[in-house]
Amino acid sequence: MSLAVKAVGIRKSFGSYEVLKGLDLEVAYGEVLCILGPSGSGKSTFLRCINHLETPNSGYVWVDGAIMGYELNRDALQELPIKRLRAQQSQLGMVFQHFNLFAHRTVLGNVIEGPMVVRGLRRAEAEARAMDLLEQVGMAGKALSYPSQLSGGQKQRVAIARSLAMEPRVMLFDEPTSALDPELVGEVLEVMRNLARGGTTMIVVTHEIGFAREVADRVVVMIDGEIRETGAPGQVLSNPGDPRVRTFLSRVLA
């Protein structure tokens, strides 16, 4: 099995509060993993540790066999310079809750920014790639619009296209529908379903249980900074072994 992501012993504290308590996780290429759990269980922090937006207090993450944020130098690990860290992070596309689009740039401008600045693509090449991706997420007709002219669902689809433009090895989604009005959730989930069908490696923090049941190859349930259950969606969501997981699911599935 070829591993896209491997996390070992991830711990993270903010002050005296320990958010993550020694997490281990492996994700294979082509796998869709959904992370579920109650608010405050550390799901988003774990996702941010995977792409080194947060530095773990202990433990390490490997992406495509390379340790995130560090290099081995004379048998000791040293932090990567910021430019090399950014290049490494570009292997991981990140879609946030609140879109994070550049308000002063058009939809097309948002999507071409990363490939041109980070990857050095020429504008014509970046724009051609961007238009293909906007077509893929159903937003090609809004290429010259600004974020203020878009609905929340449209902004999130642009955010997905922007992440895909960097040609990441893995896509990370942090509650991508939580900031959307209910009637806009479906359009974003459909884009994600299409990515999954196309074999995109995805780690998705979500509260959309139906999406996890339908699309995920594997489900992880986190509670109080720990992975309490992991397995196939049918098993975890229908017959979890951990009593705290059963309590959580009984509330969200009621």
Side-chain angles (χ1 to χ4, degrees), residues 5 25 27 31-35 47 50 170-174 201-205:
V5 175
L25 185 70
V27 181
E31 184 175 15
V32 178
L33 178 85
C34 284
I35 302 178
L47 209 63
I50 289 174
V170 181
M171 286 289 290
L172 308 177
F173 294 85
D174 185 10
T201 307
M202 298 164 60
I203 303 176
V204 185
V205 170

Side-chain angles (χ1 to χ4, degrees), residues 28-254:
Y29 277 112
E31 184 175 15
V32 178
L33 178 85
C34 284
I35 302 178
L36 311 175
S39 178
S41 58
K43 306 183 298 298
S44 294
T45 300
F46 185 35
L47 209 63
R48 292 173 66 85
C49 284
I50 289 174
N51 71 356
H52 215 72
L53 287 177
E54 294 284 357
T55 304
N57 296 112
S58 63
Y60 298 98
V61 175
W62 286 261
V63 174
D64 196 30
I67 193 166
M68 284 296 295
Y70 300 93
E71 63 181 345
L72 193 62
N73 188 356
R74 297 179 182 175
D75 298 324
L77 286 175
Q78 295 184 343
E79 290 189 24
L80 286 176
I82 190 67
K83 186 174 181 178
R84 288 178 58 195
L85 173 61
R86 293 290 179 261
Q88 193 181 47
Q89 287 172 325
S90 72
Q91 297 180 72
L92 294 160
M94 183 81 170
V95 178
F96 299 90
Q97 297 179 34
H98 295 289
F99 328 127
N100 291 2
L101 299 178
F102 297 117
H104 64 291
R105 296 192 184 277
T106 64
V107 164
L108 182 62
N110 268 275
V111 179
I112 67 174
E113 176 83 3
M116 290 179 61
V117 173
V118 179
R119 296 265 169 118
L121 262 65
R122 290 191 290 260
R123 176 175 286 272
E125 185 179 356
E127 287 185 351
R129 167 76 174 151
M131 289 305 299
D132 285 343
L133 290 169
L134 290 171
E135 183 72 36
Q136 183 178 332
V137 301
M139 290 297 295
K142 297 286 187 180
L144 300 182
S145 298
Y146 286 87
S148 62
Q149 299 170 304
L150 306 179
S151 70
Q154 290 172 328
K155 291 175 185 177
Q156 196 60 293
R157 285 186 281 155
V158 173
I160 293 171
R162 182 179 62 177
S163 291
L164 290 171
M166 296 298 290
E167 300 182 346
R169 305 301 301 272
V170 181
M171 286 289 290
L172 308 177
F173 294 85
D174 185 10
E175 295 277 14
T177 61
S178 65
L180 301 180
D181 293 333
E183 66 271 18
L184 302 177
V185 168
E187 63 189 65
V188 174
L189 293 182
E190 185 57 28
V191 169
M192 295 170 65
R193 286 188 189 95
N194 289 335
L195 291 176
R197 294 182 193 117
T200 302
T201 307
M202 298 164 60
I203 303 176
V204 185
V205 170
T206 184
H207 61 278
E208 300 287 348
I209 303 296
F211 174 82
R213 189 189 300 275
E214 174 192 354
V215 175
D217 297 298
R218 191 157 47 102
V219 166
V220 164
V221 181
M222 285 181 58
I223 296 177
D224 291 339
E226 299 175 322
I227 293 176
R228 302 299 292 253
E229 192 107 18
T230 182
Q235 171 64 31
V236 172
L237 298 176
S238 301
N239 190 30
D242 187 288
R244 295 190 67 185
V245 174
R246 287 199 298 271
T247 299
F248 162 68
L249 289 174
S250 69
R251 290 171 180 162
V252 297
L253 294 173

